[in-house]
Amino acid sequence: MMHTIARSRSRDGSGISVADRVPPVSSPRAAAPRRSWGRRDVLLWQGLTAVLLIGAWALGWAGEVLPRALLPAPWEVLVAGAGLITTAPFWAALGSTLLAAVMGLLISVAIGVPLGLIMGLAPAAYRSSLLIIDVGRSFPSIALLPVLILVIGTTVEMKVFVIVSGIVWPILLQTYYGARRVDPVVNDTVRSYRIPPLLHFAKVLLPNAAPFAVTGIRIAASAAILIALGVEVLTLNPGMGGNLARAQTDGAPALALAYLVYAGLLGWILYRALTFVEDRLLVWNRRGKGGAR
C-alpha cells in the first residue's frame, strides 16, 4: 500500500509531482456571500441619480446646450415651485386634477375588477371579448377628446370618461390573470369536495386575484394623473394641466415646468400610498415576497 502511494506521487522528468499539478479546489463555503440591497441603499442610489440628472440639466443650461427660452434653469423652477405652494389657485388646480383622477380610478376599479373575475371564472367570456379588449387597450384615449367635447363639453364628466377609457384595461387584465393563476390541484380539490361557490370565491379565487388586481390599480393610478393632465392641457380644463398650458402661453416656462414637477410628485405619492395600503391589506402576499418593499 505504501508502495502504491509513493508511486502515485513519483516525479516525472520535469521534477513536479502529480499531486503538485492538481489545482486547489475552493470550498463553496469560502465564497463571500452576495450583499443584498436594503431600502436605504435603494434610496441612496435614487437620490444620487436625481442629483446627477439635475447637475447635467444645470450644466447644459449654463453651457447653452439646452434652449434657454424653452427650458429654464433648475433654480428658476425651484423658485417658481416654492412660490406656487403659497397661492390658492395652485391648491384649487391640484384638487381638481386629483379629484378627476381618483374618480376615474374608482370607476375603473368598479368596472375592471368584477369583469376580470368573471372572465377568470369563465374562459369563454374572455375569448369572446378578446377583440374588444385588444382594441380598447390599444386605442389612445386622448383621441376621444374632439367627439366628447362636442357631446359632453369641457366638463369634469368628460375628463373622468377619458381617464376611465384609458386605465380600466390594466385593472381588468391583471385581475383576469390573477383569477386564472389558481393552482389546478386546488381547483380539483374544490370540485371533488363540492365547495360552495361563495366559499370558493372568498377563500380561493379572491386571494389569488387580489395581488394582481392591486398591481393593476397601482399602474392605473399613475396613468390617471397623466391622462388628467393631458386632457387639461389640450382643453384648458380647470386643473394643473390647464394652469400649465396657460403658463406656457404667457411665456413663463419655469412656472409651467413647476406644475409638471408637482404633477409627477402627485402621481408618485398616489402610487406610494397604494403600495402602503397593499402591504397592510395583503399580508400573505408581502410575506410570500420576503417582506415589505
Side-chain angles (χ1 to χ4, degrees), residues 259-275:
Y259 270 109
L260 188 62
V261 171
Y262 279 126
L265 288 175
L266 182 61
W268 179 78
I269 292 172
L270 188 58
Y271 180 91
R272 295 305 303 175
L274 290 173
T275 303

Side-chain angles (χ1 to χ4, degrees), residues 50-262:
V51 170
L52 288 175
L53 290 176
I54 295 174
W57 175 10
L59 290 176
W61 185 89
E64 297 186 356
V65 177
L66 303 174
R68 294 188 175 184
L70 298 178
L71 190 64
W75 46 88
E76 294 177 356
V77 178
L78 181 62
V79 172
L84 274 178
I85 300 179
T86 60
T87 61
F90 167 76
W91 293 105
L94 187 146
S96 178
T97 301
L98 182 61
L99 177 64
V102 172
M103 289 176 60
L105 183 62
L106 293 177
I107 295 173
S108 299
V109 170
I111 295 173
V113 172
L115 288 180
L117 292 175
I118 291 172
M119 290 189 301
L121 288 171
Y126 174 75
R127 289 192 295 268
S128 61
S129 58
L130 184 59
L131 178 61
I132 299 175
I133 293 174
D134 288 339
V135 173
R137 65 177 178 173
S138 304
F139 188 80
S141 57
I142 299 295
L144 297 172
L145 280 180
V147 177
L148 293 177
I149 291 174
L150 292 175
V151 175
I152 307 177
T154 55
T155 59
V156 177
E157 290 78 8
M158 181 270 297
K159 185 162 52 174
V160 172
F161 186 89
V162 176
I163 293 171
V164 171
S165 66
I167 68 173
V168 69
W169 308 109
I171 299 175
L172 188 151
L173 290 174
Q174 283 292 118
T175 306
Y176 165 75
Y177 294 145
R180 293 298 297 168
R181 284 179 63 91
V182 180
D183 194 337
V185 177
V186 176
N187 284 330
D188 293 340
T189 304
V190 168
R191 284 192 296 267
S192 300
Y193 286 92
R194 298 181 181 179
I195 302 297
L198 187 59
L199 188 61
H200 173 215
F201 175 80
K203 297 298 184 180
V204 177
L205 185 65
L206 194 58
N208 275 276
F212 289 84
V214 173
T215 300
I217 293 171
R218 283 193 283 109
I219 296 171
S222 300
I225 299 293
L226 295 178
I227 296 175
L229 198 72
V231 173
E232 292 165 356
V233 167
L234 295 176
T235 63
L236 295 181
N237 210 296
M240 298 183 72
N243 290 2
L244 187 156
R246 281 186 284 270
Q248 191 69 33
T249 304
D250 296 340
L255 187 61
L257 196 55
Y259 270 109
L260 188 62
V261 171
Y262 279 126

